[in-house]
Amino acid sequence: MSTAFTLKFACDDRPGIVSRVTTGLAAIGGNIQEASHFNDQLTGRFFCRLAFTVPAGVTETTVRENVSDGLTQLAATWSVTGDRSRMRVLIMASKLDHCLADLLYRWRIGELPMDVVGVVSNHPCEVYQHIDLSDVPFHHLPVTKENKPEQEAKLLAIVDEYEVDLVVLARYMQILSDELSASLAGRCINIHHSFLPGFKGAKPYHQAYERGVKLIGATAHYVTGDLDEGPIIAQDVEPVTHRDTPEQLVRKGRDIERRVLARAVRHHLESQVLLNGRTTVVFPD
């Protein structure tokens, strides 16, 4: 019997990085199952993801102790997660519910290894009558210009109360303040209805139709204070033609948004994403 873990880290590039880390793993019987790394020639940074097993009885604390010395010497940013540990996820949505419904479905069938600890919306629960929310705590936080600071404080209280690891904006149509974005840095993913950059604002598919685009798409990214400019995790596009009406673009766009957001969430849950300044390193499956 063995226990599986994933280690991801980033540091300035130099000789001997991998050996410093794997020496600590070897000391506790660590057996590497998968290794991915990337040397960014532009920034001089080294990024690595190691999936490994250790003998039964070796705890996560022991794993951390055995890799921490080498990683500290490298001045690395790093994290260790066990395959049996599941992130606690809070989903936020507005009236458009296709991404919310999709994430809940993928969670319930076991496709996304997470624990959904709640749903937050600026609309009442009745908006989602066709979605089963019976096993998920629902929080109605209506937002106006006047009460936005108060409602964001309540949201942070929910994040703290439920010990949330990841917040997912599943077409949540409220702009987060700079302060809230900073509080959720690196643990909040948004889906944008565009293959960024372009067609921002209201009715993006109608804008695309008016411009006669031949591709539509969606972008999932980490939330920052710069609206829709956070580090990109996943994107996808789909070809369209002059025959597609705005309504058909909306339908196709919903499908793209669902799969791009789910892909980005899965990458985050499985420790496949490392931040690289304003961009990301996303190791493949």
Side-chain angles (χ1 to χ4, degrees), residues 95-130:
K95 281 188 175 180
L96 298 175
D97 59 7
H98 52 286
C99 287
L100 170 62
D102 184 71
L103 290 174
L104 291 175
Y105 171 75
R106 294 176 191 265
W107 162 57
R108 286 177 173 133
I109 67 172
E111 181 179 319
L112 291 175
M114 62 185 185
D115 291 327
V116 177
V117 297
V119 170
V120 171
S121 177
N122 56 319
H123 296 280
C125 190
E126 290 72 27
V127 170
Y128 312 106
Q129 289 184 2
H130 62 289

Side-chain angles (χ1 to χ4, degrees), residues 37-103:
H37 60 82
F38 170 64
N39 183 333
D40 188 343
Q41 299 290 334
L42 296 178
T43 64
R45 296 283 286 175
F46 180 86
F47 302 85
C48 186
R49 179 183 184 273
L50 298 174
F52 59 93
T53 60
V54 294
V58 177
T59 65
E60 183 173 328
T61 299
T62 301
V63 172
R64 291 178 177 273
E65 290 173 348
N66 275 264
V67 300
S68 62
D69 286 345
L71 291 167
T72 299
Q73 293 172 20
L74 296 168
T77 57
W78 59 282
S79 65
V80 171
T81 55
D83 282 6
R84 295 177 183 174
S85 62
R86 294 162 62 92
M87 290 192 186
R88 299 173 61 80
V89 176
L90 182 70
I91 304 176
M92 301 181 66
S94 293
K95 281 188 175 180
L96 298 175
D97 59 7
H98 52 286
C99 287
L100 170 62
D102 184 71
L103 290 174

Side-chain angles (χ1 to χ4, degrees), residues 130 179 197 285:
H130 62 289
E179 294 76 16
D285 295 337

Side-chain angles (χ1 to χ4, degrees), residues 5 15 42 73 76 98 101 114 116 119 135 141 167 172 187 203-204 208 220 260 284:
F5 291 93
L42 296 178
Q73 293 172 20
H98 52 286
M114 62 185 185
V116 177
V119 170
D135 56 345
L141 297 180
V167 175
Y172 180 68
R187 54 176 181 147
K203 296 188 175 180
V260 170

Side-chain angles (χ1 to χ4, degrees), residues 17-235:
I17 292 176
V18 175
S19 65
R20 291 193 185 190
V21 177
T22 55
T23 297
L25 292 178
I28 54 175
N31 184 24
I32 296 175
Q33 306 294 313
E34 180 184 333
S36 302
H37 60 82
F38 170 64
N39 183 333
D40 188 343
Q41 299 290 334
L42 296 178
T43 64
R45 296 283 286 175
F46 180 86
F47 302 85
C48 186
R49 179 183 184 273
L50 298 174
F52 59 93
T53 60
V54 294
V58 177
T59 65
E60 183 173 328
T61 299
T62 301
V63 172
R64 291 178 177 273
E65 290 173 348
N66 275 264
V67 300
S68 62
D69 286 345
L71 291 167
T72 299
Q73 293 172 20
L74 296 168
T77 57
W78 59 282
S79 65
V80 171
T81 55
D83 282 6
R84 295 177 183 174
S85 62
R86 294 162 62 92
M87 290 192 186
R88 299 173 61 80
V89 176
L90 182 70
I91 304 176
M92 301 181 66
S94 293
K95 281 188 175 180
L96 298 175
D97 59 7
H98 52 286
C99 287
L100 170 62
D102 184 71
L103 290 174
L104 291 175
Y105 171 75
R106 294 176 191 265
W107 162 57
R108 286 177 173 133
I109 67 172
E111 181 179 319
L112 291 175
M114 62 185 185
D115 291 327
V116 177
V117 297
V119 170
V120 171
S121 177
N122 56 319
H123 296 280
C125 190
E126 290 72 27
V127 170
Y128 312 106
Q129 289 184 2
H130 62 289
I131 300 179
D132 180 11
L133 294 173
S134 60
D135 56 345
V136 182
F138 183 87
H139 305 270
H140 179 209
L141 297 180
V143 178
T144 65
K145 183 178 180 180
E146 292 71 26
N147 74 357
K148 185 172 182 177
E150 176 187 349
Q151 298 298 64
E152 288 195 342
K154 291 181 180 179
L155 172 62
L156 282 177
I158 292 171
V159 170
D160 290 339
E161 178 184 355
Y162 288 93
E163 299 179 330
V164 172
D165 300 304
L166 177 66
V167 175
V168 180
L169 306 185
R171 290 308 303 269
Y172 180 68
M173 304 305 290
Q174 294 290 322
I175 298 174
L176 305 189
S177 68
D178 291 349
E179 294 76 16
L180 181 57
S181 298
S183 297
L184 299 176
R187 54 176 181 147
C188 183
I189 296 175
N190 183 41
I191 183 67
H192 191 276
H193 46 224
S194 175
F195 189 69
L196 291 174
F199 302 121
K200 298 180 181 180
K203 296 188 175 180
Y205 296 110
H206 291 73
Q207 295 180 53
Y209 174 77
E210 292 168 0
R211 292 287 298 276
V213 301
K214 299 301 182 269
L215 288 173
I216 60 171
T219 300
H221 62 91
Y222 287 115
V223 171
T224 66
D226 295 325
L227 180 64
D228 299 326
E229 298 292 339
I232 293 170
I233 306 169
Q235 292 182 293

